[in-house]
Amino acid sequence: MAFDLTGKTVIIVGGAGYIGAHVCKAIADHGGIPVTFDNFSSGHEHAVKWGPFETVDLRDKASTLEAFKKYKTAHSVVHLASSIEVGIGEKDPSGFYENNVIGAFNLLEAMRELALTNLIFSSTCATYGETDQMPLLESQVQNPFSVYGKTKLAIEHMIQSYHNAYGLAYITLRYFNASGADSSGLIGEEHDPETHLIPIALAAAAGLRGKMKIFGTDYDTPDGTCIRDYIHVSDIAGAHICGLKAFANGLKSTEVNIGTGQGVSNLEILQMIETVTGLPVAYDAAPRRAGDLTRLYADPERAKEVLGFTAKHSNLENIIQTAWTFHRGVWNLK
Ligand code: UDP
Protein backbone atom coordinates (compact mmCIF):
# COMPACT_ATOMS: atom_id res chain seq x y z
CA MET A 1 0.00 0.00 0.00
CA ALA A 2 1.97 2.96 -1.29
CA PHE A 3 -0.19 5.73 0.13
CA ASP A 4 -2.18 5.32 3.34
CA LEU A 5 -5.71 6.75 3.51
CA THR A 6 -6.58 5.07 6.82
CA GLY A 7 -9.34 6.96 8.61
CA LYS A 8 -9.87 9.35 5.70
CA THR A 9 -13.31 9.71 4.15
CA VAL A 10 -13.56 10.51 0.45
CA ILE A 11 -16.95 11.39 -1.08
CA ILE A 12 -17.32 9.78 -4.51
CA VAL A 13 -20.13 11.47 -6.40
CA GLY A 14 -21.12 8.91 -9.02
CA GLY A 15 -19.50 6.10 -7.02
CA ALA A 16 -21.99 3.52 -8.33
CA GLY A 17 -20.91 4.07 -11.93
CA TYR A 18 -18.27 2.32 -13.99
CA ILE A 19 -15.29 4.50 -13.08
CA GLY A 20 -16.71 5.43 -9.66
CA ALA A 21 -16.87 1.83 -8.45
CA HIS A 22 -13.23 1.30 -9.41
CA VAL A 23 -12.25 4.53 -7.61
CA CYS A 24 -14.13 3.39 -4.48
CA LYS A 25 -12.31 0.05 -4.55
CA ALA A 26 -8.92 1.75 -4.93
CA ILE A 27 -9.65 4.07 -1.98
CA ALA A 28 -10.73 1.12 0.20
CA ASP A 29 -7.61 -0.80 -0.92
CA HIS A 30 -5.56 2.13 0.44
CA GLY A 31 -7.36 2.06 3.80
CA GLY A 32 -9.77 4.96 3.14
CA ILE A 33 -13.56 5.15 3.44
CA PRO A 34 -15.27 5.82 0.09
CA VAL A 35 -18.74 7.31 0.55
CA THR A 36 -20.82 6.95 -2.60
CA PHE A 37 -23.30 9.68 -3.57
CA ASP A 38 -25.39 8.47 -6.50
CA ASN A 39 -28.92 8.57 -7.89
CA PHE A 40 -28.59 5.30 -9.86
CA SER A 41 -29.55 7.08 -13.07
CA SER A 42 -26.77 5.09 -14.69
CA GLY A 43 -24.91 3.49 -11.78
CA HIS A 44 -25.81 0.22 -10.05
CA GLU A 45 -26.58 -0.62 -6.45
CA HIS A 46 -24.56 -3.84 -6.75
CA ALA A 47 -21.46 -1.80 -7.64
CA VAL A 48 -21.45 -0.07 -4.23
CA LYS A 49 -19.36 -2.53 -2.24
CA TRP A 50 -16.66 -0.63 -0.39
CA GLY A 51 -18.33 1.96 1.82
CA PRO A 52 -21.48 3.87 2.79
CA PHE A 53 -24.04 5.11 0.31
CA GLU A 54 -26.31 8.18 0.08
CA THR A 55 -28.99 8.78 -2.54
CA VAL A 56 -28.05 12.15 -4.03
CA ASP A 57 -29.31 13.83 -7.18
CA LEU A 58 -27.03 16.81 -7.81
CA ARG A 59 -29.80 18.65 -9.64
CA ASP A 60 -31.50 19.12 -6.25
CA LYS A 61 -29.42 21.78 -4.53
CA ALA A 62 -30.99 21.58 -1.05
CA SER A 63 -30.80 17.80 -0.66
CA THR A 64 -27.28 17.77 -2.12
CA LEU A 65 -26.16 20.18 0.60
CA GLU A 66 -27.85 18.03 3.29
CA ALA A 67 -25.96 14.93 2.09
CA PHE A 68 -22.63 16.80 2.11
CA LYS A 69 -23.35 18.05 5.65
CA LYS A 70 -23.34 14.43 6.88
CA TYR A 71 -19.72 14.10 5.70
CA LYS A 72 -18.45 17.62 6.27
CA THR A 73 -15.11 16.38 7.65
CA ALA A 74 -14.35 14.49 4.43
CA HIS A 75 -10.75 14.70 3.20
CA SER A 76 -11.71 15.13 -0.46
CA VAL A 77 -14.52 14.98 -3.00
CA VAL A 78 -14.30 13.09 -6.29
CA HIS A 79 -16.88 14.20 -8.86
CA LEU A 80 -17.65 11.62 -11.53
CA ALA A 81 -21.42 11.90 -11.91
CA SER A 82 -22.44 13.06 -15.36
CA SER A 83 -24.20 12.29 -18.60
CA ILE A 84 -21.52 10.90 -20.92
CA GLU A 85 -22.94 9.49 -24.14
CA VAL A 86 -21.78 11.78 -26.94
CA GLY A 87 -24.61 10.92 -29.37
CA ILE A 88 -27.34 11.37 -26.75
CA GLY A 89 -25.93 14.79 -25.83
CA GLU A 90 -26.34 15.97 -29.41
CA LYS A 91 -30.01 14.91 -29.39
CA ASP A 92 -30.85 16.05 -25.84
CA PRO A 93 -28.56 18.93 -24.82
CA SER A 94 -31.04 20.18 -22.23
CA GLY A 95 -30.66 17.10 -20.05
CA PHE A 96 -26.88 17.25 -20.46
CA TYR A 97 -26.57 20.87 -19.33
CA GLU A 98 -28.92 20.30 -16.41
CA ASN A 99 -27.28 17.12 -15.18
CA ASN A 100 -23.66 18.11 -15.81
CA VAL A 101 -23.42 21.90 -15.44
CA ILE A 102 -26.17 22.62 -12.91
CA GLY A 103 -25.25 19.45 -11.01
CA ALA A 104 -21.60 20.53 -10.76
CA PHE A 105 -22.64 24.02 -9.69
CA ASN A 106 -24.73 22.59 -6.84
CA LEU A 107 -21.82 20.38 -5.81
CA LEU A 108 -19.41 23.33 -5.79
CA GLU A 109 -21.85 25.41 -3.77
CA ALA A 110 -22.20 22.64 -1.16
CA MET A 111 -18.41 22.34 -0.94
CA ARG A 112 -18.09 26.13 -0.57
CA GLU A 113 -20.72 26.31 2.14
CA LEU A 114 -19.01 23.55 4.13
CA ALA A 115 -15.43 24.70 3.41
CA LEU A 116 -14.58 21.36 1.77
CA THR A 117 -11.50 22.26 -0.25
CA ASN A 118 -10.18 19.23 -2.19
CA LEU A 119 -11.92 18.27 -5.44
CA ILE A 120 -10.91 15.75 -8.10
CA PHE A 121 -13.02 16.29 -11.20
CA SER A 122 -13.45 13.87 -14.09
CA SER A 123 -13.15 15.84 -17.26
CA THR A 124 -12.46 14.51 -20.73
CA CYS A 125 -10.28 14.68 -23.80
CA ALA A 126 -13.49 15.72 -25.59
CA THR A 127 -12.93 19.25 -24.20
CA TYR A 128 -10.11 19.80 -26.71
CA GLY A 129 -12.08 19.56 -29.94
CA GLU A 130 -10.84 18.80 -33.45
CA THR A 131 -7.12 19.40 -33.94
CA ASP A 132 -4.18 17.88 -35.77
CA GLN A 133 -1.93 18.54 -32.78
CA MET A 134 -1.39 14.98 -31.56
CA PRO A 135 -0.57 13.86 -28.94
CA LEU A 136 -2.79 16.27 -27.05
CA LEU A 137 -1.05 18.54 -24.57
CA GLU A 138 -2.96 20.14 -21.69
CA SER A 139 -1.96 23.54 -23.10
CA GLN A 140 -3.89 22.81 -26.30
CA VAL A 141 -6.71 25.29 -26.92
CA GLN A 142 -10.00 23.80 -25.74
CA ASN A 143 -12.72 24.12 -28.36
CA PRO A 144 -15.09 21.19 -27.77
CA PHE A 145 -17.09 19.81 -30.68
CA SER A 146 -19.74 17.83 -28.76
CA VAL A 147 -22.34 18.94 -26.24
CA TYR A 148 -20.71 16.47 -23.85
CA GLY A 149 -17.33 18.19 -24.23
CA LYS A 150 -18.94 21.62 -23.89
CA THR A 151 -20.58 20.74 -20.58
CA LYS A 152 -17.31 19.37 -19.20
CA LEU A 153 -15.39 22.48 -20.28
CA ALA A 154 -18.01 24.70 -18.63
CA ILE A 155 -17.44 22.78 -15.39
CA GLU A 156 -13.66 23.10 -15.73
CA HIS A 157 -14.13 26.87 -15.95
CA MET A 158 -16.42 26.96 -12.91
CA ILE A 159 -13.88 25.00 -10.90
CA GLN A 160 -11.07 27.38 -11.92
CA SER A 161 -13.21 30.35 -10.83
CA TYR A 162 -13.93 28.73 -7.44
CA HIS A 163 -10.20 28.10 -7.04
CA ASN A 164 -9.35 31.74 -7.81
CA ALA A 165 -12.09 33.29 -5.69
CA TYR A 166 -12.73 30.81 -2.86
CA GLY A 167 -9.52 28.81 -2.55
CA LEU A 168 -10.88 25.49 -3.84
CA ALA A 169 -8.00 23.03 -4.39
CA TYR A 170 -8.65 20.92 -7.46
CA ILE A 171 -7.27 18.34 -9.80
CA THR A 172 -9.02 18.05 -13.14
CA LEU A 173 -8.36 14.70 -14.79
CA ARG A 174 -9.02 14.75 -18.52
CA TYR A 175 -9.65 11.08 -19.18
CA PHE A 176 -9.23 9.49 -22.53
CA ASN A 177 -11.26 6.31 -23.21
CA ALA A 178 -12.00 4.40 -20.00
CA SER A 179 -11.98 0.67 -20.69
CA GLY A 180 -11.36 -2.77 -19.18
CA ALA A 181 -12.51 -4.02 -15.79
CA ASP A 182 -11.14 -4.77 -12.34
CA SER A 183 -9.08 -7.97 -12.27
CA SER A 184 -11.50 -9.45 -9.69
CA GLY A 185 -14.23 -9.58 -12.35
CA LEU A 186 -16.61 -8.04 -9.76
CA ILE A 187 -17.05 -4.64 -11.38
CA GLY A 188 -16.88 -3.41 -14.95
CA GLU A 189 -18.66 -1.43 -17.65
CA GLU A 190 -22.47 -1.76 -17.49
CA HIS A 191 -24.17 1.15 -19.22
CA ASP A 192 -27.83 0.99 -20.23
CA PRO A 193 -28.18 1.75 -23.05
CA GLU A 194 -24.61 0.74 -23.92
CA THR A 195 -23.08 3.08 -26.49
CA HIS A 196 -19.36 2.30 -26.11
CA LEU A 197 -17.31 0.44 -28.67
CA ILE A 198 -15.68 -2.30 -26.58
CA PRO A 199 -18.74 -3.68 -24.72
CA ILE A 200 -20.83 -3.50 -27.91
CA ALA A 201 -18.15 -5.37 -29.86
CA LEU A 202 -17.84 -7.98 -27.09
CA ALA A 203 -21.60 -8.52 -27.21
CA ALA A 204 -21.35 -8.97 -30.98
CA ALA A 205 -18.52 -11.50 -30.52
CA ALA A 206 -20.59 -13.36 -27.92
CA GLY A 207 -23.49 -13.62 -30.37
CA LEU A 208 -25.75 -11.59 -28.06
CA ARG A 209 -26.66 -9.06 -30.70
CA GLY A 210 -26.67 -8.85 -34.48
CA LYS A 211 -24.00 -7.12 -36.52
CA MET A 212 -22.61 -4.03 -34.87
CA LYS A 213 -22.04 -0.74 -36.67
CA ILE A 214 -18.72 0.98 -37.15
CA PHE A 215 -19.55 4.67 -37.29
CA GLY A 216 -17.47 6.21 -40.06
CA THR A 217 -14.96 4.35 -42.26
CA ASP A 218 -13.98 7.42 -44.29
CA TYR A 219 -11.98 9.31 -41.66
CA ASP A 220 -8.52 10.56 -42.53
CA THR A 221 -6.76 7.75 -40.64
CA PRO A 222 -4.78 4.69 -41.88
CA ASP A 223 -7.83 2.35 -41.86
CA GLY A 224 -10.51 5.06 -42.16
CA THR A 225 -11.89 4.61 -38.63
CA CYS A 226 -11.58 6.89 -35.59
CA ILE A 227 -8.58 6.69 -33.30
CA ARG A 228 -8.84 6.78 -29.50
CA ASP A 229 -6.52 6.34 -26.49
CA TYR A 230 -7.84 3.47 -24.33
CA ILE A 231 -6.86 3.66 -20.67
CA HIS A 232 -7.67 0.85 -18.26
CA VAL A 233 -10.22 1.83 -15.61
CA SER A 234 -7.90 0.50 -12.87
CA ASP A 235 -5.28 2.98 -14.09
CA ILE A 236 -7.88 5.77 -13.94
CA ALA A 237 -8.66 4.71 -10.36
CA GLY A 238 -4.92 4.79 -9.64
CA ALA A 239 -4.74 8.35 -10.98
CA HIS A 240 -7.25 9.35 -8.29
CA ILE A 241 -5.03 7.87 -5.59
CA CYS A 242 -2.11 9.84 -7.05
CA GLY A 243 -4.35 12.94 -6.87
CA LEU A 244 -5.23 12.39 -3.21
CA LYS A 245 -1.53 11.99 -2.47
CA ALA A 246 -0.77 15.20 -4.37
CA PHE A 247 -3.32 17.08 -2.21
CA ALA A 248 -1.58 15.72 0.88
CA ASN A 249 1.68 17.11 -0.55
CA GLY A 250 0.13 20.56 -1.01
CA LEU A 251 -0.96 20.61 -4.66
CA LYS A 252 -3.60 23.34 -5.14
CA SER A 253 -4.60 23.17 -8.80
CA THR A 254 -3.84 21.29 -11.97
CA GLU A 255 -5.32 19.93 -15.19
CA VAL A 256 -3.81 16.71 -16.48
CA ASN A 257 -4.48 14.21 -19.24
CA ILE A 258 -5.09 10.64 -18.12
CA GLY A 259 -4.22 8.52 -21.13
CA THR A 260 -1.52 6.20 -22.44
CA GLY A 261 -0.23 8.20 -25.40
CA GLN A 262 -1.13 5.35 -27.79
CA GLY A 263 -3.78 5.84 -30.48
CA VAL A 264 -5.82 2.76 -31.46
CA SER A 265 -8.36 2.63 -34.31
CA ASN A 266 -11.86 1.20 -34.03
CA LEU A 267 -10.93 -1.66 -36.36
CA GLU A 268 -7.82 -2.44 -34.30
CA ILE A 269 -10.12 -2.81 -31.28
CA LEU A 270 -12.25 -5.30 -33.22
CA GLN A 271 -9.12 -7.24 -34.23
CA MET A 272 -7.93 -7.48 -30.62
CA ILE A 273 -11.37 -8.65 -29.54
CA GLU A 274 -11.24 -11.40 -32.16
CA THR A 275 -7.76 -12.41 -30.93
CA VAL A 276 -8.69 -12.46 -27.22
CA THR A 277 -12.12 -14.09 -27.57
CA GLY A 278 -11.33 -16.32 -30.55
CA LEU A 279 -14.70 -15.21 -31.96
CA PRO A 280 -15.51 -13.11 -35.03
CA VAL A 281 -17.01 -9.63 -34.63
CA ALA A 282 -19.54 -9.03 -37.40
CA TYR A 283 -19.97 -5.39 -38.35
CA ASP A 284 -21.39 -3.08 -40.98
CA ALA A 285 -19.82 0.19 -42.03
CA ALA A 286 -22.22 2.96 -40.96
CA PRO A 287 -22.29 6.76 -41.35
CA ARG A 288 -20.27 8.91 -38.96
CA ARG A 289 -21.79 9.49 -35.49
CA ALA A 290 -22.58 13.13 -34.67
CA GLY A 291 -20.10 14.61 -32.21
CA ASP A 292 -17.23 12.19 -32.94
CA LEU A 293 -13.71 13.51 -33.47
CA THR A 294 -11.25 11.85 -35.88
CA ARG A 295 -8.41 11.14 -33.48
CA LEU A 296 -7.69 11.73 -29.83
CA TYR A 297 -4.65 10.55 -27.91
CA ALA A 298 -2.87 11.98 -24.94
CA ASP A 299 0.50 13.34 -24.14
CA PRO A 300 0.75 11.64 -20.73
CA GLU A 301 3.91 13.43 -19.52
CA ARG A 302 2.30 16.09 -17.35
CA ALA A 303 0.36 13.52 -15.31
CA LYS A 304 3.68 11.80 -14.69
CA GLU A 305 5.42 15.02 -13.64
CA VAL A 306 2.65 16.54 -11.50
CA LEU A 307 0.94 13.44 -10.07
CA GLY A 308 3.59 10.74 -10.50
CA PHE A 309 1.01 8.84 -12.56
CA THR A 310 1.82 6.31 -15.26
CA ALA A 311 -0.50 3.69 -16.75
CA LYS A 312 0.32 0.13 -15.66
CA HIS A 313 -2.69 -1.94 -16.75
CA SER A 314 -3.44 -0.42 -20.13
CA ASN A 315 -1.94 -2.68 -22.75
CA LEU A 316 -4.76 -3.38 -25.18
CA GLU A 317 -4.78 -7.13 -24.65
CA ASN A 318 -5.22 -6.70 -20.87
CA ILE A 319 -7.99 -4.15 -21.44
CA ILE A 320 -9.93 -6.53 -23.69
CA GLN A 321 -9.18 -9.59 -21.57
CA THR A 322 -10.43 -8.00 -18.31
CA ALA A 323 -13.51 -6.57 -20.05
CA TRP A 324 -14.24 -9.98 -21.59
CA THR A 325 -13.87 -11.76 -18.22
CA PHE A 326 -16.28 -9.27 -16.61
CA HIS A 327 -18.86 -9.49 -19.37
CA ARG A 328 -18.75 -13.28 -19.51
CA GLY A 329 -19.75 -13.19 -15.84
CA VAL A 330 -22.56 -10.68 -16.43
CA TRP A 331 -23.82 -12.61 -19.44
CA ASN A 332 -23.49 -16.03 -17.75
CA LEU A 333 -21.22 -17.35 -20.49
CA LYS A 334 -18.97 -20.34 -19.88
N1 UDP B 1 -18.23 3.31 -32.14
C1 UDP B 1 -18.66 2.55 -33.20
N2 UDP B 1 -19.72 1.71 -33.01
C2 UDP B 1 -20.38 1.61 -31.81
C3 UDP B 1 -19.91 2.39 -30.73
C4 UDP B 1 -18.83 3.24 -30.94
O1 UDP B 1 -18.11 2.61 -34.30
O2 UDP B 1 -21.34 0.84 -31.73
C5 UDP B 1 -17.08 4.22 -32.33
C6 UDP B 1 -17.40 5.69 -32.07
O3 UDP B 1 -18.03 6.27 -33.19
C7 UDP B 1 -15.99 6.22 -31.81
C8 UDP B 1 -15.29 5.07 -31.09
O4 UDP B 1 -16.07 3.89 -31.42
O5 UDP B 1 -15.33 6.44 -33.04
C9 UDP B 1 -15.26 5.22 -29.58
O6 UDP B 1 -16.59 5.53 -29.16
P1 UDP B 1 -17.06 5.32 -27.66
O7 UDP B 1 -18.51 5.65 -27.63
O8 UDP B 1 -16.65 3.96 -27.19
O9 UDP B 1 -16.21 6.37 -26.83
P2 UDP B 1 -16.02 7.96 -27.03
O10 UDP B 1 -14.73 8.13 -27.77
O11 UDP B 1 -17.20 8.50 -27.75
O12 UDP B 1 -15.93 8.48 -25.62
Side-chain angles (χ1 to χ4, degrees), residues 231-305:
I231 174 120
H232 196 288
V233 65
S234 298
D235 279 331
I236 294 182
H240 288 76
I241 302 299
C242 292
L244 295 173
K245 190 173 176 184
F247 281 142
N249 291 333
L251 186 72
K252 296 292 180 216
S253 69
T254 196
E255 286 84 11
V256 292
N257 289 333
I258 299 298
T260 67
Q262 304 295 320
V264 178
S265 78
N266 295 345
L267 291 184
E268 285 171 331
I269 291 286
L270 266 49
Q271 278 158 16
M272 183 57 84
I273 288 179
E274 294 192 340
T275 302
V276 168
T277 65
L279 298 165
V281 180
Y283 73 90
D284 282 323
R288 294 181 179 197
R289 186 175 71 174
D292 271 345
L293 294 161
T294 307
R295 65 169 69 69
L296 291 166
Y297 53 93
D299 184 319
E301 284 307 309
R302 186 157 168 191
K304 193 171 169 185
E305 280 162 30

Side-chain angles (χ1 to χ4, degrees), residues 18-19 84 86 123-126 136 148 173-181 189 191 195-199 226-236 257-266 269 289 292-298 311 313-314 316 319-320:
Y18 170 41
I19 297 172
I84 58 164
V86 170
S123 188
T124 167
C125 56
L136 280 158
Y148 168 59
L173 303 177
R174 293 183 189 143
Y175 310 154
F176 284 66
N177 286 54
S179 49
E189 191 165 9
H191 298 117
T195 61
H196 292 103
L197 179 66
I198 292 175
C226 290
I227 290 176
R228 296 287 181 270
D229 181 339
Y230 291 87
I231 174 120
H232 196 288
V233 65
S234 298
D235 279 331
I236 294 182
N257 289 333
I258 299 298
T260 67
Q262 304 295 320
V264 178
S265 78
N266 295 345
I269 291 286
R289 186 175 71 174
D292 271 345
L293 294 161
T294 307
R295 65 169 69 69
L296 291 166
Y297 53 93
H313 306 279
S314 295
L316 194 56
I319 285 173
I320 302 298

Side-chain angles (χ1 to χ4, degrees), residues 81-83 95-105 148 151-152 155:
S82 78
S83 302
F96 258 60
Y97 281 98
E98 184 184 30
N99 207 26
N100 295 2
V101 180
I102 294 177
F105 172 70
Y148 168 59
T151 62
K152 288 284 186 174
I155 301 166

Side-chain angles (χ1 to χ4, degrees), residues 10-11 13 68 74-79 107 111 116 118-120:
V10 182
I11 297 170
V13 185
F68 272 94
H75 170 274
S76 301
V77 176
V78 174
H79 179 30
L107 176 146
M111 288 185 70
L116 283 163
N118 295 339
L119 174 65
I120 300 181

Side-chain angles (χ1 to χ4, degrees), residues 84-165:
I84 58 164
E85 303 83 3
V86 170
I88 296 172
E90 302 307 303
K91 289 185 197 130
D92 180 21
S94 164
F96 258 60
Y97 281 98
E98 184 184 30
N99 207 26
N100 295 2
V101 180
I102 294 177
F105 172 70
N106 290 340
L107 176 146
L108 286 170
E109 282 294 277
M111 288 185 70
R112 180 160 82 101
E113 167 115 9
L114 299 170
L116 283 163
T117 51
N118 295 339
L119 174 65
I120 300 181
F121 172 58
S122 18
S123 188
T124 167
C125 56
T127 58
Y128 291 113
E130 191 76 279
T131 170
D132 290 332
Q133 299 293 312
M134 291 293 148
L136 280 158
L137 285 162
E138 290 82 352
S139 54
Q140 175 70 38
V141 172
Q142 289 171 288
N143 183 21
F145 182 54
S146 62
V147 168
Y148 168 59
K150 286 174 182 162
T151 62
K152 288 284 186 174
L153 182 57
I155 301 166
E156 284 199 20
H157 288 160
M158 275 200 285
I159 289 171
Q160 287 158 4
S161 302
Y162 276 59
H163 167 72
N164 294 335

